[in-house]
Structures are given as structure tokens and as C-alpha cells.
Amino acid sequence: MEAGCVTGNRTNGFVDGVSGEWFTKFDLSSPAVSRGLPITQVICRMELQDLLVNAVGLDIVRNNSEVVDFIEEPSKVTVILEDGQQYHGDVLVGADGIWSKVRTKLFGRREANYSNYTCYSGITKLVPPYIDSVGYRVFLGLNQYFAALDIGNGNMQWFAFHKQPPMGKKMLLEEKFGKWCDEVVALIQETPESMILQREIYDRDMIYSWGIGRVALLGDAAHPLQPNLGQGGCMAIEDCYQLIHELDQVPKTGSDAQISDAIRLALRQYAKKRIRRVGIVHAATRMASKMLAMYQPRIQLKTGPLAHLSALHITYLAFRMGQAFLQYLLPEFMTWMIAGHG
């Protein structure tokens, strides 16, 4: 809690990327407070990983140990590492991301789906003047959008999504976002080139079986999500909770056959209880990606007899309808996201 910062009690939402004007806001505080839950908190992923590794212990977590194969036997699972070492366990949980080797071994090789978006991200030491009032903003534009959030300790993290094959980091970002509002431009300019990361955004179609026998998938290995709703890590943490809950029901005593059957049942129950919620979030991220690509609030007529209308900044009727729809839908969706995990 000390390493992160609470952002749910600030203003959060979508704004126009060029003008900086709010498009719609959403309440992250009331749904949590009314149910006795903590208010949304943000923490740097790297800090969270360090905290968790140190809490579990470096004697338990082993880096540079990529699993390349596994063998399931009636009473155990054996994993084979890239360096040839083998380890045995009661259960193998493949939490090895979108390019999961465990998933490939279980269900065969399938291509991931490219979203047509490239993502640039950075962390910078910057305390903007709005830091106490604004938590998370998504700046919207046609075929591109930019998200910024406070991650605590004087750090701001940002993500720039652009619908085109990757070119070259900072120069491209300044070219594409250079005429946007001051908040976006300042974050890009204040971030050193070495601190800007770039990756293409992929996801996979939902699958409705997350394991076989004593082997199960978790997080992006089971259901990789596009990052536009910031739910990939959240869904993985919920997966962990549900998986542990189900495995805790496995009896500690009994015959090998009884325990094996109980483990297999626990893994099936874990997937069954998670698939519906994750499936909705997965569909929402794909829908959000399509909606963000179409963002164009005002009529743009560059040529022809009506070209002068562009100077009047006339707003599309469909834009206003979409704005009203989101203002109605977002509170319900955010309440379900925050408090609907069961």
C-alpha cells in the first residue's frame, strides 16, 4: 500500500486529446466504498513484482528458468526447463503469458491476433499541477489514444497507442501527438528515450477449457487481453485467488486416486467460475479498441463546397449519442468491474 498511491478518489475518465476537454468521467470511489472495498490503488508493476518476489523468497522463485515441456503422470507433473533440469509437483500452473509454452503443449500452436495497434509506454519523474485532482485519464483521438496515470512517488506512467506499424519511438510520438494538449506533450518530452518502451498489441480468442488433468492456465496464458482497460494483471490476480480457493478444497489425506481426482476437479471448477467474467472483460477490450479507433467528434470536410463547415467545429450527432451512452453505461460497468468478482 505504501509503494502505490490511491487514485480512485480523484477524477478519472476520457478526454479529447487535442482540446483536453472531458468527454466522460467515471466514479471509481462510490462502488468500492458502498461495498466496504478498498478504493482503486495504482502501483508500478516493477515495484509490485519486487515486493512479491521478496515476500515469497528468492529460494522459491527462480528466474531464468523457462519451462519448455512437461510430462503428466497419474500422481505428479514433471516440468522440463530450457537447461534440461526437471522439477516435480502436484500441479502445474502455466502463467507464462500470451506466448505460453504450456498452452501450446496443451492445445497446440495457434496464432495470436494482432490488434493493429502499436503501444509506446514510459515512466517519468514528473509531478503535474493536476496531480491531486486527476488520477487516470485516457486522451482520445482518431486511430490513436494516450493514457496517463499517477503511479506514486513522483512518477507518472503513460501509454501511447497508435494504429500503424511501429517506426521509431520518441520522434514518432512527437510527430503523432505533438499538436495535442500540453499535458500529453509534456509527458512525452520529459521522458528519456531509454525509458520509452514499444510493443505491438496482440490478444487471442477466448478458449473455454483452461487445462487438462493436473495442468491449468492462468492470466495471459489463458486469456490474453488488450491493455486498453488496464485489466490484464487484475484478471490474473483474480485467477490466482480463485485457483487457490479451489485447491484449498483438496483433501490432505486419502488414496492417490482420490487426491488426483480432487485436484482435477478443483482445476475444472477454477476455470468454470472464472470464464464468464473474463469472457466479458475480453469482449469489452476488443469493443473498446474498435470504438477508440473511430473517435472523431467534429465534422471534418477538407475539400468541396461544404469545407468551410469544418471551421465551425460542428459535433457529430452520433458522437453526442455515444457520449450519452457511455455516461449511462460506464458507471454500471465500473461497479461490476470493481465489485463483481464474487
Side-chain angles (χ1 to χ4, degrees), residues 10-23:
R10 308 182 208 173
T11 303
N12 301 275
F14 299 104
V15 303
D16 183 83
V18 177
S19 68
E21 297 175 358
W22 286 99
F23 173 63

Side-chain angles (χ1 to χ4, degrees), residues 297-308:
R298 295 177 181 87
I299 295 174
Q300 300 285 341
L301 298 170
K302 296 182 180 179
T303 60
L306 300 178
H308 65 281

Side-chain angles (χ1 to χ4, degrees), residues 98-116:
I98 186 171
W99 311 111
S100 170
K101 296 285 180 63
V102 178
R103 176 178 173 135
T104 299
K105 175 74 183 286
L106 283 173
F107 302 116
R109 185 175 301 280
R110 300 176 189 173
E111 293 298 320
N113 302 306
Y114 181 48
S115 69
N116 295 315

Side-chain angles (χ1 to χ4, degrees), residues 167-206:
M167 288 167 48
K169 297 180 189 171
K170 194 165 185 176
M171 186 182 301
L172 173 67
L173 289 167
E174 289 177 344
E175 174 191 327
K176 297 298 180 184
F177 295 90
K179 295 182 180 179
W180 282 30
C181 56
D182 292 343
E183 294 93 332
V184 171
V185 175
L187 284 165
I188 294 173
Q189 290 179 344
E190 292 294 325
T191 306
E193 178 87 20
S194 61
M195 291 298 291
I196 298 176
L197 306 178
Q198 180 269 328
R199 62 191 172 103
E200 287 83 31
I201 303 301
Y202 288 84
D203 69 6
R204 292 184 186 275
D205 296 337
M206 279 291 294

